[in-house]
Amino acid sequence: MKRRDFLKTSVIASAALSLNFEGLQAALSTNTVAVEKAPDMVAVMGGEPEVMLDKALEALGGIGNFVKKGQKIVIKPNIGWDRSPELAGNTNPKLVKALVKKCLEAGASKVTVFDHTCDNWQKCYETSGIAEAVKEAGGIIMPANDEKYFKEVSIPGGVKSAKIHEALIEADAWINVPVLKNHGGAKMTCAMKNYMGIVWDRRFFHQNDLQQCIADICTWQKKPVLNIVDAYRIMHQNGPQGKSAADVATLKSLIASPNIVAIDTAALRLFNQVKKLDMAAVGHIGKGEALKLGTTNLDNVTIKRIKI
């Protein structure tokens, strides 16, 4: 895989990076959409979060393929840290706002957004901009800071059971919306790792073979109908909360797919355009494939690329 030179930009205290679209094409694979049909994955680059979301959903056949009239929908972003959007510690609030609107326009009866945060939940919700974005879009922002919000469910994978947020248990469908970041323990946090924010007992997960536990929790029977990776800004070092703007690269990218293993594989390749990270280090991706949650072979995935 050939690397392209990155253009340095002054965005975020001159610390961010810009990635050309050809680099993204090379990163994701050489497979192309030969006929007009819904692809398995859509990669969009060069626009604002709302515009890229529109393009991705259109290519996937529309939000109606994932959200039905009258359904209760949960959107699960990363809101784990008391960080502003420019520091890329959380999912971009513009993307969350646009997605809430899309779900309500599709006829969802209720759209709930939550995350089991690491920092104080009220500060995380506020500083990230996500609480305000959800309210402006007509959604419901719900806390996850107390065990009372979680109910035990069975998990087919090795962890056997876990306490999962009641909003997700009661939902008809959910959409997984992580931000792409470096992570000290898991090495990369994306769609699979974002499951940690739906469980109460994640301390156990982090202390007992984290990579396997991430794969195991993803075997819960209620899979996300869609995964949308926010790569508008990514944290390429000092994750998962970061230290400064120097940890951030601006890629203005978005990847969407129902296939959680494939989308994390694609996200890893995108991450590698900024900083080298071997697949073996991100063990939960391969473990997820072993549990038949998806494929790491992107040559078998139909990918549509859109440049704005």
Side-chain angles (χ1 to χ4, degrees):
M1 178 173 62
K2 295 182 178 179
R3 289 177 176 268
R4 301 274 181 161
D5 292 334
F6 295 120
L7 302 177
K8 292 185 178 179
T9 176
S10 61
V11 177
I12 312 179
S14 300
L17 299 172
S18 175
L19 178 67
N20 62 34
F21 189 68
E22 289 73 20
L24 176 59
Q25 287 180 313
L28 292 182
S29 85
T30 58
N31 205 19
T32 59
V33 177
V35 295
E36 285 299 321
K37 64 177 183 178
D40 303 312
M41 182 184 296
V42 180
V44 190
M45 189 169 193
E48 292 304 299
E50 311 95 312
V51 177
M52 292 192 292
L53 177 65
D54 282 344
K55 295 293 185 182
L57 291 175
E58 181 182 0
L60 289 167
I63 188 67
N65 279 351
F66 308 101
V67 176
K68 308 302 180 185
K69 187 175 181 179
Q71 285 187 328
K72 293 179 291 185
I73 302 297
V74 164
I75 294 171
K76 169 57 180 74
N78 190 316
I79 329 176
W81 303 99
D82 182 12
R83 295 287 187 273
S84 63
E86 294 76 18
L87 295 178
N90 307 298
T91 305
N92 194 303
K94 292 181 179 180
L95 175 59
V96 177
K97 182 177 181 178
L99 185 57
V100 171
K101 286 184 175 180
K102 287 286 185 184
C103 292
L104 290 171
E105 288 169 2
S109 61
K110 181 170 70 172
V111 179
T112 303
V113 178
F114 78 88
D115 191 16
H116 184 187
T117 65
C118 298
D119 290 337
N120 175 274
W121 73 276
Q122 291 169 310
K123 289 183 178 180
C124 292
Y125 281 24
E126 180 180 355
T127 307
S128 68
I130 289 177
E132 182 179 3
V134 171
K135 291 173 184 176
E136 288 179 352
I140 299 168
I141 192 84
M142 188 172 179
N145 65 317
D146 194 297
E147 193 171 359
K148 69 182 182 182
Y149 295 113
F150 296 78
K151 298 178 181 178
E152 190 164 348
V153 300
S154 61
I155 305 296
V159 293
K160 301 303 181 186
S161 68
K163 290 186 176 180
I164 289 181
H165 197 284
E166 62 184 14
L168 203 51
I169 293 173
E170 296 167 3
D172 296 301
W174 68 291
I175 301 175
N176 188 18
V177 194
V179 62
L180 175 58
K181 297 190 296 180
N182 165 248
H183 188 277
K187 305 307 176 185
M188 185 187 83
T189 172
C190 198
M192 293 180 69
K193 178 64 170 62
N194 202 38
Y195 266 73
M196 290 295 99
I198 74 173
V199 300
W200 176 253
D201 36 359
R202 68 172 174 220
R203 183 183 296 273
F204 171 85
F205 287 22
H206 281 81
Q207 295 174 346
N208 292 272
D209 192 351
L210 176 60
Q211 301 283 11
Q212 186 63 59
C213 284
I214 293 171
D216 287 347
I217 194 63
C218 291
T219 65
W220 183 44
Q221 63 179 0
K222 188 179 286 187
K223 309 287 191 300
V225 293
L226 186 63
N227 303 283
I228 302 172
V229 172
D230 168 25
Y232 188 89
R233 302 181 186 93
I234 75 166
M235 185 185 296
H236 58 85
Q237 61 186 12
N238 294 319
Q241 57 181 313
K243 295 180 178 179
S244 72
D247 301 325
V248 178
T250 298
L251 304 186
K252 289 192 174 183
S253 300
L254 179 148
I255 312 172
S257 176
N259 189 319
I260 197 167
V261 173
I263 203 170
D264 272 9
T265 302
L268 176 60
R269 293 192 182 185
L270 181 57
F271 189 94
N272 266 275
Q273 294 294 297
V274 180
K275 181 163 289 187
K276 180 65 176 175
L277 181 60
D278 292 334
M279 170 75 81
V282 192
H284 59 267
I285 299 178
K287 292 177 185 298
E289 183 176 43
L291 289 169
K292 303 187 184 305
L293 296 173
T295 181
T296 61
N297 186 355
L298 296 187
D299 289 336
N300 292 335
V301 177
T302 305
I303 304 170
K304 182 169 185 177
R305 301 170 190 82
I306 301 170
K307 183 179 181 180
I308 297 174

